[in-house]
Amino acid sequence: MAGSALFALIDDIATVLDDVSLMTKMAAKKTAGVLGDDLALNAQQVSGVRAERELPVVWAVAKGSLKNKAILVPAALAISAFIPWAVTPLLMLGGAFLCFEGFEKLAHKYLPHEGGHHEAAASAPEETDPLAHERDKIRDAVRTDFILSAEIIAITLGTVAGAPLQQQITVLVGIALIMTAGVYGLVAGIVKLDDGGLYLLQNAGPGNFGRLKAGVGRAVLAAAPRMMRSLSVIGTVAMFMVGGGILTHGLPFAHHAIEQAATMAGEIAVIGPVLHAVTPAVLNAVFGVVAGAVVLAVVLLAQRLLKPFRKT
């Protein structure tokens, strides 16, 4: 009798683990796109610090990301249980903030009015106080990670919405840990890419294999600076794509319009499949740019209107 009860318990545990594994795989597939954007954004955010401080900065941001998820997982479960209607508006606020940050970067770079002063002020800490510069980098990266983590948690929650609470918690925690380890492990690899190339070059050794290692090392050293410079552009584009995607998914008319545009593009001969895949991302990014411009305009207008009150 006791033996049959034990086997029944083991069978139940195996069933639960199988369900959790299946839901985790589904959630991982659905969040893979956000993972790519998260990787580009965070690699760009932590670039530009001193070489010997790159890994400590990545580790600090990773710890901040874990803290973000420790807040977001229970908050998402509570919101889903008590005020599920609030999930979409909160995500859209985060999306609007990402678009605002992306457009503000463009405005400070290309508009001369206050951008030059801002950039000079931003670069000064790097020269006079490297620790302050690191803290700013970490703070900005953790803040951006919060929004991207919220989207990952929301997508995962939608995947496990009909499951028992225990399975929801297990899948959410599992995805949070997997995504954090995956993103920041890759970020660490990207920022130390030049060190890997230098190691190969300095330890090439004799013979054909040594020449191969030296060639790979030189190629990596040549490619690493270009890759790091490109991360700034990729990270900004990712802000618009993610933020615009969140906003359009929360606006049914925009979401359907993008789907129709992708369907029409997919009907074009030869390049149709490629256009069908690319069109949503491009249109989401365009929507993100427009949204970022609108939010920045509102913020600047509010600052100008409130300026007299701040003086008093």
Side-chain angles (χ1 to χ4, degrees):
M1 191 74 178
S4 62
L6 177 61
F7 283 125
L9 177 61
I10 292 173
D11 184 64
D12 290 342
I13 293 173
T15 302
V16 170
L17 290 176
D18 186 59
D19 291 342
V20 168
S21 175
L22 180 62
M23 286 186 289
T24 303
K25 288 179 181 177
M26 291 173 59
K29 286 181 180 179
K30 289 187 177 181
T31 55
V34 183
L35 177 66
D37 295 330
D38 198 358
L39 174 62
L41 277 172
N42 282 290
Q44 179 260 329
Q45 291 276 35
V46 301
S47 64
V49 299
R50 291 172 297 164
E52 69 274 13
R53 295 294 302 164
E54 286 172 342
L55 289 183
V57 168
V58 173
W59 174 236
V61 178
K63 289 190 291 185
S65 178
L66 287 173
K67 290 178 182 178
N68 285 341
K69 293 176 177 70
I71 296 169
L72 287 166
V73 169
L77 290 168
I79 292 171
S80 178
F82 299 109
I83 46 173
W85 54 266
V87 174
T88 298
L90 288 173
L91 276 176
M92 291 182 70
L93 282 175
F97 180 76
L98 273 182
C99 296
F100 163 74
E101 278 208 322
F103 197 85
E104 189 183 33
K105 285 185 178 183
L106 294 180
H108 282 308
K109 186 173 182 180
Y110 295 110
L111 298 182
H113 55 288
E114 295 181 0
H117 174 72
H118 177 86
E119 288 183 359
S123 63
E126 184 178 359
E127 298 174 359
T128 59
D129 190 352
L131 291 178
H133 178 64
E134 283 185 16
R135 287 194 294 269
D136 290 341
K137 283 278 187 180
I138 293 167
R139 185 185 64 248
D140 291 344
V142 171
R143 184 177 60 188
T144 301
D145 175 271
F146 188 89
I147 299 170
L148 293 168
S149 295
E151 188 181 12
I152 289 171
I153 296 300
I155 293 171
T156 305
L157 189 63
T159 304
V160 300
L165 179 61
Q166 185 178 0
Q167 293 185 17
Q168 289 186 23
I169 295 172
T170 304
V171 173
L172 283 169
V173 171
I175 285 293
L177 294 175
I178 291 169
M179 291 298 179
T180 303
V183 167
Y184 291 100
L186 289 170
V187 168
I190 289 172
V191 298
K192 301 305 288 183
L193 193 62
D194 53 348
D195 290 348
L198 183 62
Y199 176 83
L200 289 174
L201 188 60
Q202 291 178 341
N203 297 273
N208 293 331
F209 185 65
R211 284 193 290 272
L212 176 62
K213 286 174 65 177
V216 172
R218 280 191 289 270
V220 170
L221 284 173
R226 296 185 181 92
M227 183 177 181
M228 295 306 296
R229 285 194 296 270
S230 69
L231 285 175
S232 177
V233 177
I234 295 171
T236 303
V237 172
M239 279 186 173
F240 291 128
M241 288 176 62
V242 175
I246 295 173
L247 292 174
T248 56
H249 276 80
L251 299 171
F253 70 90
H255 183 60
H256 293 320
I258 289 175
E259 283 187 334
Q260 289 177 357
T263 302
M264 292 173 61
E267 295 174 354
I268 298 175
V270 183
I271 59 172
V274 176
L275 291 177
H276 184 270
V278 171
T279 298
V282 173
L283 293 180
N284 283 333
V286 171
F287 194 94
V289 171
V290 174
V294 171
V295 175
L296 180 60
V298 171
V299 169
L300 292 176
L301 178 61
Q303 289 177 345
R304 181 168 296 182
L305 292 175
L306 294 174
K307 192 173 182 180
F309 298 99
R310 284 203 296 264
K311 288 183 178 179
T312 58

